Amino acid sequence: MIKFVLMVNRQGQTRLSRYYEPVELSRRAALESELVRVCLSRSKDQVCLPDFRLVYRQYAALFIVVGISDSENELSVYELVHNFVEVLDKYFSRVVSDTIMFNLDKVHIILDEMIQNGHVVETNKSRILAPLTALDKMADG
Amino acid sequence: MSDVVEKTLTALPSLLSLDSQPGSGKLSSTSKLGNLIRGITELTSKHEEEKLIQRELSSIKEQVASPNTSMRQMKELMVRAIYCEMLGYEASFSYIHAIKLAQQGTVLEKRVGYLAVSLFLNESHELLLLLVNTVLKDLQSTNLIEVCMALTVVSQMFPKDMIPAILPLVEEKLTHPKEIIRRKAVLALYKFYLIAPNQVQHIHNKFRKALCDKDPGVMTASLHIYLQMIKENPEGYKDLTASFVTILKQVVGGKLPMDFNYHSVPAPWLQIQLLRILSLLGKDDQSTSEMMYEVLDESLRRAEMNHNITYAILYECVKSIYTIHPKAELLEKAAKCIGNFVLSPKINLKYLGLKALTYVVQQDANLALQHQLTIIECLDHSDLVIKRETLELLFRITNAQNVTVIVEKMLEFLRLSKDDYTTIDLVGKVAELWFIETMNTVFSLGGDMMQPDIPNSFLRLLSEGFDSTEEDRQLRLFAVDSYVSLLQGEPGRLPQRFLQVISWVLGEYSHLREGLEPATTLRLLAKLLDMKHTSSETKSWVLLAMSKLCEGPDCVSLAQELSERHGGSLDTVLRQRVQELRHLSEDAELRASVLPRDAAQEPLEVDSSLSFLDGFVSEALSAGAAPYKPPHQRQEELAQAKALSLEPYGLSLPISMSSCSLADRQSPTLLSMSSGLSGNSTDLSHKGGSTTLKLDGVKRVWGKDGYLAQKEPVEESAQVEVPSPLCSPSRQGGADSTHSQTPTPTPTPEPEKEKQQLASSLFVGLGSQSSVCLMGKSEQTPQRFRRKAKGQGSSSGASEQISNSHYSTQSTVDNLLCNNLLDSTVTSDLAVSTPEQTPQLSQEVATTNGTCDAEQDLIEETDPGNSPSLIRANSTVTADPPAHKDPDRPKDSCLSSHLPAELAGLSHSEIIPLCSSQNLDLSACHVQKEDALLLVIFIENSSDSDIEQIGGGEKPQCVGVPVFPDGEEASGSRGAGWDGVLPAAFWGISSHAVLLQTSINQFHQVHCFLPSDLLLSMALLTQSMLVSCFCLTSLLFLCLGRPLCVSTEEYGTLWLAFSQDTKQNLALLNDGQDPLTATLDVLKNKLQLHVVDIIGAEGIVACRLLQGQPCLMHCRVHAGSLAVWLRSPVPDLPDCLLYHCQRALQEH
């Protein structure tokens, strides 16, 4: 199962974080900086830590880091990350780091459609975006 | 799909263009959120961040409280608060406003409100209750988007107790016409199932309906529930197997709409989910498994595209195939698949392959054999994760035979690893593998001779545990398992202390092992009671353990039977225990209160001052009893009163030890010793055994310092034993001729060979074919091993001959070693006796000449850099007079000038001629380096002509053999092959076998440099020297003792840390004004001790063995003698030091 999804930049600043298992707010910052340290020191895509394994993908200066349990299938999560980015790309036309920062709420809403309780609940791109586009439509109209 | 959504989708292009310039589109650059984001991106330090966020927080706090804030502004405030929390700064004041936003906002504002709630609050937060009404209202809304939002938040978090309030509404949505609503309702029910399964029990049939929903999305959502339910109870859902199989078949067959594809793979995550469900259903169930063979096969076949996601599916597929009831054809395909993964150059695939392999080897270890070489390569992979995964794999295949190599590899990794997490994990594993096994060996070996605090501290360690509960559990479980199997074996051989430990552990922790009936354990324990060697102390341990365990009717009857049998015992303690057992077995409640489970770590109230005896004592004193005196005071008084000498009988013990072991080696057992050396080291320690250890049946894998590094792979040593003493000369000739072929450089490159050796030692004991299969893969390997073995065969065959004919040489060597090398006193008659052996030795030289030629070739081919120093030009004629013609002449100064420069300045023992032939003289001495003991062997050509292999008489060659090396610098001066490094603090009983093993290895290495006769003499020499060294640990000290420089404070700390304790009185020298200083000076000079401090009549002294174990000595002048008190972590060290102190003082 998926334990958290993080987006961090090269400087180690968190751009998005979503935890599917309760983690104390005070512990998060330390955990995140540790993860960034680990990711930056490697060029590959999987890292093992004691309680979870990390799967991460780098998009330009942005890392998407996913913490998963031992029993999870790393490669499927690895591709899930890419699917997520493709969805963001589809929604924002061209997703860059700034897009995510300025649309943090929407990125979260998209993520919520894809992952709930640490499980992949939807991977069909148009279905992931359906509620959000509907919201946009209503807000505009 | 909802109408709204469809409309939206048509409007999408315009929306997208609107959004294409994010940031500027919706957020004015002057907006507060824009400012914050810019602020965050421009941050350069943690300090700045803190300032910025604190400012932001107070600004948010101010605004959210303001009644004028619109919902639109509130939404922005919430996003800002989310940012603050994301960076780790609590914004708890905004939580209530997030709920308010969800309640009052419209559309996107509401959604952000819900989002903020789900990000801010955890599932048990009390504010969540305030959300229930909002959710309730939204679920009933006519606006589908609001219903959607409510269902989304419900499936993320919802207060457990409020489920009944909304459950009917959610259930209702299951029949909603819009798929998105149905899907979200199913997910909400899944959440309910996770947090309160009993609340949704009544709607299981609705789950089935969802599974059969015409929309694939709804069906997919329902799989989450099913995966969870099947995980908990696979039996209940076997009837659904056919449905899951059909669904998977349709998905794999591409029957889903195209938009479910991901990179043209049909719904990969759905496939993975289905495969997981199938493997749960098919586990240990043949008929169910049979239903899925076809679809699994198809999945394997279809997933041939070259994309990560297909690999992910393949991995899941392989896992399923190995989980369900096996089918050979599928297993073969899956194995091939794993092979492709493991062999892939892509790190991700390799990783996945190793992970799959790790999973698979638990079912079928043979698969690891097929990939052993790849696994070895992975061990040295540059990527740490791959390495780690490989170790994980090795951890799973660890067995008694390969545990040493695997633990070695783990420790190697540990040394390189900087990563704390890895370290913690790995240390746990090593400890698990190592700790219990080592302690088992320690207990079996140490037996009842052991200090009682060792088992005590072991038990304390086990009960107190480490930081992680899971690790503790594993460790205890491992202990229980290993003890149960020990008891099922032959418990009669185990020492009493070990049996006590076993009883305690089983009593305390056997409940951890599922499926182990207490009655089974009880019967195993009861068996111990009937053994005649079991002491009554052990019996009471056993009975106590049984009292902890007895549960259920079986046990009651067993307890009764025991009480009948042992109730009449003469031992009162035993009778008491039996009674306790009977009563406790009958009264479970009483037992639970008397012997609570897992209570071992709770502190017991112990009144160590024995205050409850105060009354009794004062009564006794008033009645005229003598006051209490501590034992040492009593002893001293006793000594004074009776004037009895408490001095021990001086040298008698060590002398008898040495003579005994000498005799031992002079006996014909020598042969079996030298041939058994490389093979069964346990035998050796029996024969050399001057101690009282019982080593029967205990595999010698572990030593004091952990595993004993056995450099010879198992196969090799097994074959070495083949040449028997019956070896005929012709056979030997044959062996020699094979041997002379050895120089042809082996076709396999060196690293490859190492890998294969490593593989053979790692994968030992796996699978049925075991060692046959190990090397079966490569054609060259077995050949090479065979050849090597023959080479060894010839040498060991020859060694037998030599040792037959040079029987007395052997003993000479022994005497020399004991008396000269170790004690530094020359006895010249021994040296004189050597020439008598000469003719025989020279014969040997003649017979082995053929070999020498070939060996010279080898040198030239393999080691050109080294050969010049050993093979000299033929033309030189010796200038030195042959040494053995003039035995009286002191050779020492002459030879010592040939000591290598780095050793020249160090103190060395006198150089002892070992043996000589017409052409060759062999002498040796030992050199004491700061951190090592070096045996230097001089090889001198004493003839007029040249021997090809050895330089002419112009200059003796010398070779340093590190006996106690600490690193490479300790290796010899000439031979590059002398780099076998032995662990430094070898000590005591178990070490000499390994040393011998290593020295044999060294001689194999040097094979190529020296003629075999020399080699053999040296081999014998070193062997016997080592044997003497390690049989007579007491002598060892003279060569290995080094001062330990500590301050008085450090000394104090150390003193308290050591457990081994010895007290003795020594003679005091009276020649100086200050007898204490004089005595200590003598000791210091003779034994290389360090005098830490002298205060008044007391002095403290410290020393250690090379860089290893320390020994502390406390001296006090008392009644004309020196009362010494020694402490050390090693049991024998104080005795040994004491013995040498006595000798040193006597000699003075």
Side-chain angles (χ1 to χ4, degrees):
Chain A
M1 97 166 236
I2 296 166
K3 303 201 171 187
F4 57 79
V5 176
L6 286 181
M7 285 184 172
V8 284
N9 68 3
R10 272 189 172 284
Q11 286 73 47
Q13 293 167 320
T14 311
R15 292 289 177 248
L16 175 141
S17 69
R18 183 61 141 145
Y19 289 85
Y20 299 101
E21 272 189 349
V23 176
E24 290 291 319
L25 198 62
S26 50
R27 267 198 59 217
R28 290 185 191 181
L31 175 70
E32 284 160 22
S33 61
E34 173 72 11
L35 296 184
V36 175
R37 191 186 62 75
V38 172
C39 294
L40 283 178
S41 67
R42 288 175 44 84
S43 51
K44 307 304 178 299
D45 313 301
Q46 283 130 14
V47 181
C48 308
L49 289 176
D51 305 328
F52 44 82
R53 287 159 193 254
L54 288 186
V55 173
Y56 69 93
R57 262 181 116 130
Q58 190 179 357
Y59 294 91
L62 195 71
F63 287 93
I64 300 184
V65 188
V66 186
I68 55 172
S69 67
D70 246 16
S71 56
E72 190 54 77
N73 180 330
E74 282 87 349
L75 266 191
S76 82
V77 175
Y78 185 67
E79 287 307 306
L80 182 75
V81 170
H82 192 64
N83 195 22
F84 176 47
V85 172
E86 283 181 351
V87 174
L88 292 181
D89 234 21
K90 185 173 172 183
Y91 181 73
F92 295 112
S93 296
R94 196 174 61 87
V95 66
V96 292
S97 189
D98 272 4
T99 325
I100 292 166
M101 290 206 74
F102 282 96
N103 295 281
L104 185 67
D105 46 349
K106 294 190 177 176
V107 177
H108 264 298
I109 292 170
I110 291 174
L111 189 59
D112 280 355
E113 290 297 320
M114 295 181 71
I115 304 174
Q116 274 178 7
N117 300 303
H119 296 290
V120 186
V121 292
E122 187 59 87
T123 53
N124 179 330
K125 292 190 183 67
S126 46
R127 290 188 173 202
I128 291 166
L129 288 177
L132 185 58
T133 43
L135 277 176
D136 287 336
K137 179 105 194 329
M138 283 181 67
D140 285 349
Chain B
M1 208 178 285
S2 81
D3 298 337
V4 185
V5 171
E6 273 161 27
K7 270 181 223 156
T8 317
L9 281 179
T10 53
L12 203 57
S14 61
L15 270 175
L16 288 178
S17 64
L18 205 154
D19 268 340
S20 64
Q21 237 108 50
S24 60
K26 297 237 167 139
L27 293 165
S28 69
S29 54
T30 54
S31 79
K32 292 262 170 60
L33 177 58
N35 280 337
L36 173 64
I37 292 169
R38 246 189 312 282
I40 291 174
T41 47
E42 284 161 10
L43 286 177
T44 53
S45 72
K46 192 75 193 163
H47 178 67
E48 270 180 41
E49 180 190 283
E50 192 163 342
K51 253 174 35 193
L52 175 78
I53 302 296
Q54 293 302 351
R55 211 167 49 228
E56 188 70 20
L57 280 173
S58 53
S59 148
I60 298 171
K61 199 169 188 173
E62 197 179 299
Q63 286 183 54
V64 287
S66 155
N68 301 327
T69 310
S70 71
M71 281 301 132
R72 198 180 177 87
Q73 284 169 317
M74 191 63 97
K75 179 196 140 217
E76 200 200 76
L77 284 170
M78 281 308 128
V79 179
R80 283 162 65 190
I82 291 174
Y83 261 108
C84 295
E85 286 239 321
M86 190 172 81
L87 295 175
Y89 301 86
E90 199 181 272
S92 49
F93 59 85
S94 58
Y95 296 172
I96 185 74
H97 298 284
I99 291 177
K100 225 153 78 185
L101 182 62
Q103 200 176 354
Q104 297 166 6
T106 53
V107 210
L108 195 55
E109 291 140 29
K110 191 187 247 319
R111 181 68 185 89
V112 173
Y114 275 130
L115 173 68
V117 169
S118 72
L119 285 169
F120 291 156
L121 305 183
N122 61 36
E123 293 187 46
S124 52
H125 203 288
E126 48 191 13
L127 280 180
L128 215 50
L129 285 174
L130 298 178
L131 199 69
V132 174
N133 265 328
T134 314
V135 167
L136 209 55
K137 199 182 95 211
D138 285 339
L139 280 178
Q140 288 164 304
S141 163
T142 50
N143 187 337
L144 290 186
I145 290 186
E146 285 180 354
V147 178
C148 250
M149 280 182 219
L151 285 171
T152 305
V153 82
V154 163
S155 49
Q156 285 171 324
M157 55 198 330
F158 199 76
K160 196 155 102 181
D161 305 331
M162 300 309 284
I163 291 175
I166 59 164
L167 187 58
L169 282 173
V170 175
E171 265 183 76
E172 199 178 275
K173 304 291 181 222
L174 284 175
T175 51
H176 199 278
K178 298 290 171 251
E179 62 81 23
I180 189 167
I181 304 291
R182 293 205 301 277
R183 184 167 66 85
K184 286 192 175 282
V186 172
L187 290 173
L189 289 175
Y190 169 57
K191 181 69 183 178
F192 295 164
Y193 182 81
L194 285 181
I195 55 179
N198 49 339
Q199 306 264 26
V200 289
Q201 255 169 357
H202 61 286
I203 39 178
H204 277 199
N205 60 332
K206 292 196 177 159
F207 294 156
R208 291 209 176 207
K209 223 168 148 195
L211 181 64
C212 305
D213 198 286
K214 61 180 184 297
D215 184 86
V218 182
M219 180 272 295
T220 309
S222 75
L223 291 183
H224 289 106
I225 302 180
Y226 277 106
L227 182 66
Q228 191 64 33
M229 293 195 299
I230 291 170
K231 220 181 257 172
E232 285 157 15
N233 172 28
E235 293 309 313
Y237 303 91
K238 297 274 182 188
D239 57 322
L240 285 176
T241 312
S243 316
F244 293 125
V245 167
T246 318
I247 296 170
L248 183 55
K249 221 176 263 178
Q250 287 176 351
V251 175
V252 171
K255 298 283 186 336
L256 290 187
M258 284 295 279
D259 61 350
F260 283 90
N261 287 6
Y262 173 77
H263 292 252
S264 43
V265 178
W269 290 277
L270 173 58
Q271 287 192 43
I272 288 170
Q273 187 86 341
L274 283 164
L275 286 168
R276 284 181 187 158
I277 290 178
L278 288 183
S279 68
L280 287 174
L281 285 171
K283 191 173 187 201
D284 304 324
D285 183 340
Q286 187 171 359
S287 58
T288 313
S289 298
E290 274 163 4
M291 295 165 75
M292 46 188 93
Y293 288 148
E294 192 193 331
V295 71
L296 286 176
D297 192 32
E298 188 165 346
S299 291
L300 274 185
R301 203 152 32 78
R302 292 263 185 172
E304 268 170 355
M305 211 184 63
N306 206 3
H307 191 279
N308 273 335
I309 197 69
T310 54
Y311 298 136
I313 297 174
L314 275 179
Y315 168 77
E316 213 64 48
C317 222
V318 166
K319 242 177 111 175
S320 302
I321 289 172
Y322 273 96
T323 312
I324 63 170
H325 187 87
K327 185 188 182 194
E329 189 191 327
L330 278 178
L331 287 180
E332 198 178 302
K333 284 184 184 170
K336 206 177 124 211
C337 194
I338 293 180
N340 289 340
F341 280 170
V342 175
L343 291 173
S344 163
K346 286 184 191 162
I347 300 258
N348 280 344
L349 287 190
K350 209 182 244 318
Y351 170 83
L352 213 61
L354 287 170
K355 199 179 168 191
L357 210 51
T358 308
Y359 179 78
V360 165
V361 288
Q362 293 166 58
Q363 267 80 27
D364 173 17
N366 279 315
L367 200 59
L369 291 176
Q370 285 176 23
H371 299 294
Q372 46 175 312
L373 282 185
T374 320
I375 294 172
I376 301 301
E377 272 164 25
C378 290
L379 264 183
D380 297 326
H381 201 279
S382 57
D383 193 296
L384 280 186
V385 174
I386 298 285
K387 269 193 189 174
R388 228 193 88 132
E389 198 61 31
T390 315
L391 289 177
E392 176 80 38
L393 170 64
L394 291 179
F395 176 63
R396 304 280 171 195
I397 58 169
T398 306
N399 58 30
Q401 281 136 303
N402 60 17
V403 63
T404 54
V405 195
I406 289 180
V407 170
E408 183 186 0
K409 282 285 151 195
M410 285 181 166
L411 292 175
E412 206 172 277
F413 182 80
L414 214 54
R415 264 174 225 126
L416 295 174
S417 162
K418 300 269 186 304
D419 184 355
D420 294 348
Y421 297 117
T422 320
T423 312
I424 292 168
D425 180 63
L426 211 56
V427 164
K429 283 192 178 123
V430 171
E432 196 177 309
L433 290 175
W434 180 85
F435 187 59
I436 300 293
E437 289 223 24
T438 311
M439 288 320 280
N440 284 356
T441 324
V442 167
F443 286 136
S444 317
L445 291 176
D448 298 324
M449 310 296 288
M450 201 165 17
Q451 308 291 325
D453 56 343
I454 296 177
N456 285 347
S457 56
F458 169 71
L459 292 181
R460 200 172 60 213
L461 214 67
L462 205 61
S463 63
E464 282 171 0
F466 305 98
D467 295 336
S468 126
T469 24
E470 174 57 23
E471 228 165 74
D472 291 344
R473 208 185 64 86
Q474 288 285 337
L475 194 66
R476 289 168 191 160
L477 209 58
F478 196 81
V480 169
D481 284 350
S482 97
Y483 293 162
V484 166
S485 62
L486 273 177
L487 286 190
Q488 280 162 347
E490 274 191 71
R493 290 164 173 264
L494 302 174
Q496 299 302 314
R497 285 249 160 73
F498 192 23
L499 288 178
Q500 291 163 11
V501 168
I502 291 178
S503 319
W504 189 87
V505 170
L506 288 182
E508 212 51 47
Y509 297 117
S510 65
H511 65 90
L512 290 174
R513 163 56 65 218
E514 284 167 36
L516 180 67
E517 290 290 317
T520 323
T521 324
L522 277 185
R523 264 188 287 278
L524 282 174
L525 288 172
K527 213 164 70 182
L528 296 180
L529 292 177
D530 297 334
M531 292 186 325
K532 54 173 181 285
H533 297 297
T534 314
S535 71
S536 53
E537 193 193 348
T538 309
K539 280 182 185 165
S540 59
W541 280 77
V542 171
L543 285 169
L544 191 63
M546 293 175 83
S547 322
K548 288 178 199 164
L549 286 172
C550 54
E551 226 173 329
D554 276 10
C555 308
V556 176
S557 61
L558 191 68
Q560 237 143 21
E561 188 194 318
L562 280 175
S563 76
E564 277 160 28
R565 194 139 28 110
H566 298 278
S569 163
L570 287 176
D571 189 327
T572 43
V573 179
L574 215 58
R575 255 193 345 250
Q576 160 103 9
R577 294 268 179 247
V578 171
Q579 287 306 319
E580 280 172 14
L581 169 64
R582 199 171 58 82
H583 283 295
L584 291 176
S585 70
E586 283 162 3
D587 189 345
E589 238 170 76
L590 182 65
R591 189 170 56 85
S593 66
V594 175
L595 298 164
R597 202 164 260 189
D598 277 334
Q601 32 200 326
E602 278 163 28
L604 282 178
E605 295 265 329
V606 176
D607 186 357
S608 59
S609 66
L610 303 177
S611 58
F612 55 89
L613 285 175
D614 283 353
F616 174 78
V617 171
S618 59
E619 210 171 282
L621 282 175
S622 66
Y628 174 74
K629 283 176 190 158
H632 60 89
Q633 201 182 343
R634 260 178 281 167
Q635 203 179 6
E636 277 166 15
E637 282 175 10
L638 200 69
Q640 281 170 341
K642 296 191 178 172
L644 269 183
S645 168
L646 291 179
E647 299 249 334
Y649 295 116
L651 308 173
S652 62
L653 173 73
I655 282 178
S656 69
M657 264 173 76
S658 71
S659 60
C660 138
S661 45
L662 279 175
D664 209 16
R665 263 172 291 114
Q666 278 169 341
S667 76
T669 43
L670 174 67
L671 287 187
S672 57
M673 270 171 76
S674 52
S675 64
L677 284 173
S678 38
N680 194 346
S681 47
T682 323
D683 273 354
L684 179 68
S685 42
H686 277 308
K687 281 161 191 157
S690 50
T691 38
T692 53
L693 288 178
K694 297 184 190 69
L695 299 171
D696 313 54
V698 178
K699 198 172 154 53
R700 173 62 62 72
V701 182
W702 298 100
K704 260 202 159 70
D705 295 314
Y707 68 91
L708 303 177
Q710 280 166 312
K711 295 201 172 161
E712 300 267 328
V714 178
E715 287 75 19
E716 251 181 272
S717 50
Q719 287 182 357
V720 175
E721 287 173 11
V722 175
S724 65
L726 296 174
C727 221
S728 66
S730 64
R731 160 84 171 74
Q732 199 198 331
D736 268 349
S737 62
T738 345
H739 188 62
S740 59
Q741 284 164 11
T742 343
T744 39
T746 26
T748 335
E750 197 58 21
E752 191 65 12
K753 179 182 138 196
E754 278 170 20
K755 275 182 199 162
Q756 282 171 355
Q757 285 192 349
L758 181 58
S760 62
S761 39
L762 278 178
F763 296 94
V764 146
L766 282 186
S768 44
Q769 312 99 309
S770 199
S771 61
V772 186
C773 173
L774 288 175
M775 285 302 152
K777 286 284 153 192
S778 126
E779 196 46 48
Q780 285 172 344
T781 331
Q783 235 178 3
R784 208 193 43 251
F785 270 102
R786 206 156 42 234
R787 208 187 284 163
K788 189 160 179 194
K790 270 189 194 164
Q792 287 175 338
S794 79
S795 67
S796 72
S799 93
E800 278 150 16
Q801 287 208 339
I802 283 203
S803 43
N804 273 331
S805 53
H806 296 271
Y807 192 71
S808 49
T809 314
Q810 183 60 40
S811 68
T812 314
V813 165
D814 285 340
N815 291 336
L816 267 170
L817 283 162
C818 295
N819 297 322
N820 302 345
L821 284 174
L822 297 171
D823 283 1
S824 316
T825 49
V826 185
T827 37
S828 57
D829 56 332
L830 291 170
V832 174
S833 75
T834 352
E836 294 167 22
Q837 316 301 330
T838 317
Q840 285 152 304
L841 189 66
S842 58
Q843 274 173 8
E844 286 300 326
V845 175
T847 54
T848 43
N849 257 347
T851 322
C852 298
D853 291 341
E855 275 160 355
Q856 191 195 348
D857 293 343
L858 182 69
I859 298 171
E860 280 165 357
E861 277 176 40
T862 58
D863 207 353
N866 203 10
S867 50
S869 66
L870 284 168
I871 308 157
R872 245 178 29 84
N874 288 338
S875 54
T876 326
V877 179
T878 176
D880 271 358
H884 71 282
K885 288 175 190 161
D886 187 5
D888 296 323
R889 180 180 149 245
K891 287 171 60 176
D892 202 299
S893 59
C894 156
L895 280 172
S896 63
S897 65
H898 293 294
L899 272 174
E902 72 263 28
L903 300 178
L906 298 165
S907 72
H908 63 87
S909 68
E910 279 177 82
I911 297 170
I912 317 296
L914 297 172
C915 58
S916 51
S917 66
Q918 284 168 342
N919 331 345
L920 288 168
D921 278 354
L922 208 58
S923 332
C925 71
H926 72 266
V927 177
Q928 293 189 23
K929 284 185 74 174
E930 169 63 26
D931 53 352
L933 175 65
L934 224 55
L935 172 66
V936 179
I937 299 168
F938 296 87
I939 306 155
E940 197 178 1
N941 183 358
S942 52
S943 70
D944 295 342
S945 60
D946 282 350
I947 299 173
E948 282 172 352
Q949 280 68 39
I950 299 296
E954 182 185 56
K955 190 180 173 212
Q957 307 290 328
C958 60
V959 190
V961 187
V963 181
F964 266 93
D966 191 37
E968 274 137 54
E969 90 254 50
S971 66
S973 49
R974 297 278 171 188
W978 302 99
D979 54 356
V981 176
L982 310 177
F986 264 124
W987 238 99
I989 34 172
S990 54
S991 48
H992 50 287
V994 177
L995 263 171
L996 288 170
Q997 189 86 44
T998 319
S999 66
I1000 293 286
N1001 280 343
Q1002 289 180 339
F1003 285 110
H1004 285 316
Q1005 285 172 0
V1006 93
H1007 232 245
C1008 38
F1009 301 117
L1010 295 170
S1012 55
D1013 61 328
L1014 264 182
L1015 203 99
L1016 290 165
S1017 334
M1018 282 163 57
L1020 291 171
L1021 158 79
T1022 317
Q1023 280 166 20
S1024 45
M1025 193 197 114
L1026 291 173
V1027 170
S1028 1
C1029 273
F1030 299 108
C1031 287
L1032 312 173
T1033 42
S1034 59
L1035 288 179
L1036 191 63
F1037 190 84
L1038 266 188
C1039 318
L1040 299 179
R1042 298 286 184 273
L1044 173 66
C1045 297
V1046 290
S1047 68
T1048 313
E1049 289 76 33
E1050 286 164 341
Y1051 182 95
T1053 334
L1054 285 174
W1055 181 265
L1056 293 176
F1058 298 156
S1059 55
Q1060 305 300 331
D1061 208 342
T1062 308
K1063 291 181 191 170
Q1064 183 94 52
N1065 283 0
L1066 292 179
L1068 200 56
L1069 295 176
N1070 279 320
D1071 44 359
Q1073 312 96 317
D1074 184 354
L1076 177 63
T1077 322
T1079 314
L1080 289 185
D1081 276 348
V1082 169
L1083 293 179
K1084 181 180 152 191
N1085 293 335
K1086 289 212 173 173
L1087 300 172
Q1088 304 215 39
L1089 307 177
H1090 172 66
V1091 180
V1092 182
D1093 209 351
I1094 299 181
I1095 306 166
E1098 292 181 53
I1100 48 178
V1101 174
C1103 68
R1104 62 172 159 184
L1105 287 181
L1106 288 184
Q1107 309 288 342
Q1109 300 291 10
C1111 182
L1112 307 178
M1113 184 159 90
H1114 173 263
C1115 318
R1116 190 164 59 95
V1117 179
H1118 178 79
S1121 64
L1122 189 67
V1124 292
W1125 187 0
L1126 295 112
R1127 278 195 174 182
S1128 164
V1130 192
D1132 302 344
L1133 198 46
D1135 293 334
C1136 169
L1137 180 59
L1138 208 52
Y1139 161 70
H1140 281 287
C1141 288
Q1142 280 174 3
R1143 263 192 80 158
L1145 292 173
Q1146 260 174 18
E1147 281 167 12
H1148 186 74

